[in-house]
């Protein structure tokens, strides 16, 4: 299983329920990477999607502990155990964890690849991703050239897990 995330220089990922910044080419990259694949996310992250709805052209799996929570276009699971059971039906390489903070933290131990958009700035934030540079289980394996969007500079990084996950 992979994860895909955009972080700033402090590994921040969000503020007040929103992304830190929207970079059109990063969004395109996210769509190219995940279209036709399985995306896993928390109920709060779903609220940040266009219209608060599941992502089109993908198999959507949303985590919520609320037994009454139902959404058209997504399968719901109410625990990590139920999620792990459900994704057995898909090739591991086709499954992407796409956020947010709580879900990344819970599922990081099950991921073997992290696709990180690293934005060269420090934003005001209240949601963070674990610092993979400080985690000996993870190693930076690839780095793109510097990309720009107006005055924002960012890079696509690929981290791999060195010790096999759970
Ligand atoms: N930079 C990025 O790449 C990126 C990507 C995605 C999101 N984000 C940001 O991340 C922030 C949201 O993160 P967050 O931590 O607040 O929320 P989140 O992880 O998106 O969702 C948390 C919710 O997911 C459900 N959940 C989590 N673990 C569960 C489990 N084990 N079993 C069942 N349900 C579970 C619960 O829903 P219920 O409350 O319904 O039970 C929980 O309240 C926002 O700022 C968003 O913009 C950033």
């Amino acid at each position: 299983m992979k994860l895909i995330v955009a972080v700033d220089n402090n590994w921040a990922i969000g503020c007040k329920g929103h992304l830190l910044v929207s970079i059109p080419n990063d969004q395109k990259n996210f769509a190219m990477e995940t279209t036709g694949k399985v995306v896993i996310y928390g109920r709060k992250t779903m609220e940040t999607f266009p219209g608060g709805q599941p992502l089109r052209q993908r198999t959507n799996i949303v985590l919520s502990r609320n037994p009454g929570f139902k959404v058209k276009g997504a399968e719901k699971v109410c625990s990590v155990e139920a999620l792990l059971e459900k994704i057995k039906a898909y090739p591991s390489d086709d499954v992407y964890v796409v956020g947010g903070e709580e879900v990344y933290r819970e599922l990081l131990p099950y991921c073997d690849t992290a696709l990180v958009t690293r934005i060269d700035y420090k934003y005001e934030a209240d949601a963070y991703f674990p610092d993979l540079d400080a985690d000996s289980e993870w190693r930076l394996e690839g780095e793109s050239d510097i990309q720009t969007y107006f005055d924002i500079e960012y890079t696509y990084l690929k981290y791999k897990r060195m010790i096999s996950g759970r």
Side-chain angles (χ1 to χ4, degrees):
M1 179 156 70
K2 300 178 192 166
L3 67 86
I4 184 162
V5 65
V7 306
D8 79 355
N9 285 335
N10 289 324
W11 292 86
I13 62 165
C15 189
K16 301 187 176 106
H18 299 285
L19 292 176
L20 299 172
V21 59
S22 287
I23 301 174
N25 278 347
D26 185 43
Q27 289 172 333
K28 275 189 206 150
N29 183 61
F30 175 87
M32 265 168 35
E33 189 69 45
T34 60
T35 295
K37 306 287 171 62
V38 180
V39 286
I40 297 167
Y41 49 85
R43 192 261 313 158
K44 291 183 187 171
T45 286
M46 194 182 80
E47 289 171 4
T48 72
F49 293 161
Q53 293 300 306
L55 299 174
R56 281 180 292 167
Q57 300 175 311
R58 280 152 271 203
T59 299
N60 287 245
I61 306 179
V62 57
L63 279 148
S64 174
R65 297 185 182 88
N66 177 354
F69 177 83
K70 249 192 182 167
V71 59
K72 203 170 162 234
E75 300 181 54
K76 187 201 89 171
V77 288
C78 47
S79 67
V80 169
E81 293 67 34
L83 173 77
L84 296 174
E85 200 49 43
K86 188 167 280 294
I87 61 174
K88 280 183 186 165
Y90 305 97
S92 163
D93 245 19
D94 288 354
V95 181
Y96 290 76
V97 179
V98 303
E101 175 175 359
E102 185 180 353
V103 167
Y104 283 135
R105 288 186 191 280
E106 287 177 307
L107 298 181
L108 183 62
Y110 303 96
C111 292
D112 53 31
T113 304
L115 304 173
V116 178
T117 304
R118 180 73 174 250
I119 304 160
D120 187 14
Y121 193 73
K122 290 177 184 171
Y123 293 90
E124 184 191 338
D126 59 16
Y128 292 84
F129 189 87
D131 178 351
L132 295 186
D133 294 321
D135 185 336
S136 58
E137 289 188 12
W138 289 87
R139 184 189 294 162
L140 180 61
E141 291 251 306
E143 185 164 3
S144 75
D145 292 337
I146 295 172
Q147 316 285 309
T148 54
Y149 174 58
F150 293 102
D151 57 346
I152 299 172
E153 293 192 337
Y154 62 102
T155 321
Y156 297 115
L157 307 178
K158 186 178 201 172
Y159 289 81
K160 290 291 244 183
R161 174 186 285 290
M162 291 296 103
I163 301 162
S164 54
R166 278 189 209 158

